[in-house]
Amino acid sequence: MVTAAHQHTAPGPEAPRTFPEGFLWGSATASYQIEGAAAEDGRTPSIWDTYARTPGRVRNGDTGDIATDHYHRWREDVALMADLGIGAYRFSLAWPRIQPTGRGPAAQKGLDFYRRLVDELLDKGIQPVATLYHWDLPQELEDAGGWPERATAERFAEYAALAADALGDRVKTWTTLNEPWCSAFLGYGSGVHAPGRTDPVDALRAAHHLNLAHGLAVRALRDRIPADARCSVTLNLHHLRPLTGDAADADAVRRIDALANRVFTGPMLRGAYPEDLLKDTAPLTDWSFVHDGDLREIHQPLDFLGVNYYTPTVVSRADGSGTHTSDGHGRSAHSPWPGADDVAFHQPPGETTAMGWAVDPSGLHELLGRLASDFPGLPLVITENGAAFDDYADPSGNVNDPARISYLRGHLAAVHQAIADGADVRGYFLWSLLDNFEWGYGYSKRFGAVYVDYPTGTRIPKASARWYSAVARTGVLPGA
Ligand code: IFM
């Protein structure tokens, strides 16, 4: 049966494609996934340290204690990027390194680490792009209630101010939050991410307080950084497709779109929560945790929207006829979708990555087109895109990863096509620079362009790193 979910064709990657002058070519990482040095220089545990130490939460009992040891190897990692000709580096600041209790003054040693890193990047001509929050909430703030509590948003604004005071003279591009959907709905709904709580109302409260944290942080940043510096947020917008052309499946798309996407884009970019979201979740909550003035605070002007895309999501109205219920975010008895238990998630057809995620560049092309038409005038940056495969070093020490090259080629062609169609896409950040700690999957999934031999910490650029390097240096995606 040909269904609506199956009718999409990827833009052809055959001819060489030249990207616009000034297009930013980057790579991305996140603090807990690469830094290690979990107890060094005053850093305290984050929710991910606690979660990873809880038996059964992370595959193989892996933790971020050592990770890729970037905290000690940062100079080597910047040199790697410089060798590859990468123009921008998106990294995140570890809140518990900068403000170990989540309150009060900054820890000098934590700030010094990021100052050294940023200075080295600037010295090598690589633009630093700093994310304030990529999921490592100080454990003390979780103990005080975490993201379902309003006070956490207020603490976040204070932390943003400390970071801006210390780094605002050298970091010109800031991102408040990375993928708040994961923080709220995987962290407090399904529990497959830290802190592992499973209450649908807490998940919605967390989403609102993350929105508020974003707005308050943008204001704190703008008060401190130069007028030409840029503020943004990164969302993992779900590109949704109905399983069939039935009205019930279109309604499943609408409902998941509200819970995955518009719960953030509504307040952040339009200044209101979508009416249908409030209605769909009314049996769970009256949303009285949204206070007067919150939406005005959240709705701050942004210089660009960061978009993370990996795969599309196919949904239908569940009818109990044996459809898949996995949505690619780990299995849990608890749903990350409050009030949407009658929506089923389906594996899209075709090739998959080692995560089991379908390879489908047409989803990125369509998503960018939708964003361009929904939010005209708002520049877009792909802040993450990439794939995990089962990479290994061969006996001569090389890592050949043709599947990743093909994935990147297809997705870059999709970005190019979206630009040709009128989307204002300014840059692309490959996830990830290095193999790293893939959250609940531990070190079992390798997303890096650079292979990491964990026992020794040795870095080996994969074939895809060399391929991406040529694209980044020339701004041309070669023909297939
Ligand atoms: O590794 C993660 C990253 O931390 C956030 N976006 C998705 C990536 C792959 O799962």
Side-chain angles (χ1 to χ4, degrees), residues 32 48-66 437 439-444:
Y32 189 71
W48 267 97
D49 296 86
T50 308
Y51 187 82
R53 285 185 196 299
T54 308
R57 292 300 205 178
V58 174
R59 198 172 284 188
N60 302 318
D62 291 344
T63 72
D65 284 1
I66 299 173
F437 177 82
W439 309 113
Y441 297 87
Y443 297 99
S444 68

Side-chain angles (χ1 to χ4, degrees), residues 440-466:
Y441 297 87
Y443 297 99
S444 68
K445 304 292 175 196
R446 294 181 176 273
F447 272 93
V450 175
Y451 181 89
V452 177
D453 177 52
Y454 291 111
T456 61
T458 303
R459 275 82 163 129
I460 305 172
K462 302 177 190 176
S464 62
R466 292 191 293 276

Side-chain angles (χ1 to χ4, degrees), residues 30 33 134-135 178-179 182 236 308 310 355 357 384 431 436-439 447:
Q33 295 182 271
H134 198 127
W135 309 350
N178 177 73
E179 301 184 354
C182 296
N236 56 321
N308 291 357
Y310 291 88
M355 297 295 286
W357 297 348
E384 284 182 29
W431 184 269
N436 60 49
F437 177 82
E438 176 55 22
W439 309 113
F447 272 93

